[in-house]
Every structure is written in C-alpha cells, then in structure tokens.
Amino acid sequence: EIVLTQSPGTLSLSPGERATLSCRASQSVSSSYLAWYQQKPGQAPRLLIYGASSRATGIPDRFSGSGSGTDFTLTISRLEPEDFAVYYCQQYGSSLPFGGGTKVEIK
Amino acid sequence: EVQLVESGGGLVQPGRSLRLSCAASGFTFDDYAMHWVRQAPGKGLEWVSGISWNSGSIGYADSVKGRFTISRDNAKNSLYLQMNSLRAEDTALYYCAKDMASSGWYPFDIWGQGTMVTVSS
C-alpha cells in the first residue's frame, strides 16, 4: 500500500506570500492519481486539485498542483486570509490513503 | 443544492454496534460511488470504506475490515455504515463523501458535515 508523506508539517507564512506544499509517495502513483484537499477548522474537507494538476470546480487559479511519479506539489501563489488551513494529499485509483497533512498558519 | 447529511453517531461502549446513515440530495445518487472517511479528534483523514454505484465493488481500510459493513439504498438516496465490535480507536468524526465517478475510486468532490462516534465505557 502506498504511504503518502507530507512536508512540512507546518508552514508559517504571511498573506500575499507563496506557499509550496510537498507530498511524497512511497511508490509511484499511477496516472498521476493524486488529489489535494483543504480543511478549515470545524469544516469538512474541500477538493482542490485532482489528477495532480486539475483544479476542481470553483477553485481559484492561485491554487496549482504539479508533479508525477512519487513527488507532488501544491502551490498557492499568493496567500489570501481564507487560505490558512490544513491541506491533505490523497492517492486514488486502487487505494485511497491520505497524507498526514500540512498546516498553513499565519506568521 | 447538493447535500450530504450524516446521522447515527453517538456514545457507544466498546464491543457494541452502531449504524451510520448518510442522506444524499441534489444529485443523481445512483450515478456515483460513495465513501466513508473518518477523522479522530485532532488527527488527519482516514478513508474507511467505499462502495460503487451498484454495490458491485466495495472496499475497506485494513483497520475496519471484518468489523464494518458499507451498504447503500439507491431508492432511498442513502448510504450506510454498520459498525460492529467497536473499539476506542474508532472514535472519530465520520464523514460521508461523494466520489467523482461511478466506480473505481476517484477523488471526493462533495462531503457531509460528519457525525461523531465516541467509543468509551
């Protein structure tokens, strides 16, 4: 089973800065079946990115995903106040593991 | 409005059973696979179980295999999770989530607000 490791655990940034989140898989993720979710306190997760780089419906273009194989990245080009949250990556297709999450907090 | 509403959570003793339900509305329920995902207090997300549109394909996390049973009733637009032999480590907020596709596991584009399950004596 694929294990997803997210880094860093916590990212402290200011509004307007660029955020770069990493998700590394223990083995190659086939067909770039990698998704990213955002979760704010007290809320359910929200799908941001699927297929490693496709934005879900209604997701602003400041969110972008990239990568293939075992290394994937979620980039938030300019952090808005509402972007401070926890982000999870997920592999899909055969199994559905989530990474441990990266918390993006206000510096 | 597309909506998933979970119910059935509560406080239960170790070894007992509980059945969760998820009522779907605002989309064609039987066109999509559905899942249960849980989140222990202060922890990350864990996929629990998934079921294809016609119940022909079902999957479970190793942590619940043999104890939990997922099912759906397309006529009632409802998803269920029968949880038996509950353990303290099953304590979590349980989310119902809609798959992007009918079968073969894909990302979850709609989530409910969750129902809390607490396993404690």
Side-chain angles (χ1 to χ4, degrees), chain A residues 21-90:
Chain A
L21 288 66
S22 173
C23 177
R24 179 161 291 176
S26 58
Q27 53 188 284
S28 184
V29 176
S30 61
S31 304
S32 294
Y33 279 178
L34 195 287
W36 291 92
Y37 298 83
Q38 175 194 66
Q39 187 178 32
K40 298 178 182 179
Q43 296 186 17
R46 178 175 70 147
L47 177 65
L48 297 176
I49 300 286
Y50 62 94
S53 60
S54 297
R55 274 187 300 276
T57 302
I59 302 304
D61 60 7
R62 64 180 181 273
F63 290 92
S64 64
S66 62
S68 63
T70 60
D71 290 303
F72 298 87
T73 300
L74 175 69
T75 301
I76 310 170
S77 58
R78 294 173 311 279
L79 282 164
E80 297 288 340
E82 62 268 28
D83 298 337
F84 291 91
V86 180
Y87 294 83
Y88 295 94
C89 60
Q90 179 199 33

Side-chain angles (χ1 to χ4, degrees), chain B residues 46-75:
Chain B
E46 180 188 15
W47 175 76
V48 173
S49 182
I51 186 168
S52 64
W53 69 281
N54 63 352
S55 304
S57 181
I58 288 175
Y60 297 97
D62 288 344
S63 58
V64 307
K65 202 171 292 183
R67 300 187 299 122
F68 289 11
T69 302
I70 192 172
S71 62
R72 63 189 296 162
D73 185 335
N74 288 343

Side-chain angles (χ1 to χ4, degrees), chain A residues 1 33 35 37 39 42-45 47 50 88 90 92-96 98 100, chain B residues 35 37 39 43-47 62 95 100 104-109 111-113:
Chain A
E1 180 176 312
Y33 279 178
Y37 298 83
Q39 187 178 32
Q43 296 186 17
L47 177 65
Y50 62 94
Y88 295 94
Q90 179 199 33
Y92 58 93
S94 54
S95 62
L96 293 157
F98 287 91
Chain B
H35 301 268
V37 177
Q39 186 169 35
K43 302 298 184 182
L45 302 172
E46 180 188 15
W47 175 76
D62 288 344
Y95 292 104
M100 290 179 71
W105 311 137
Y106 285 88
F108 311 152
D109 59 351
W111 296 65
Q113 285 304 303

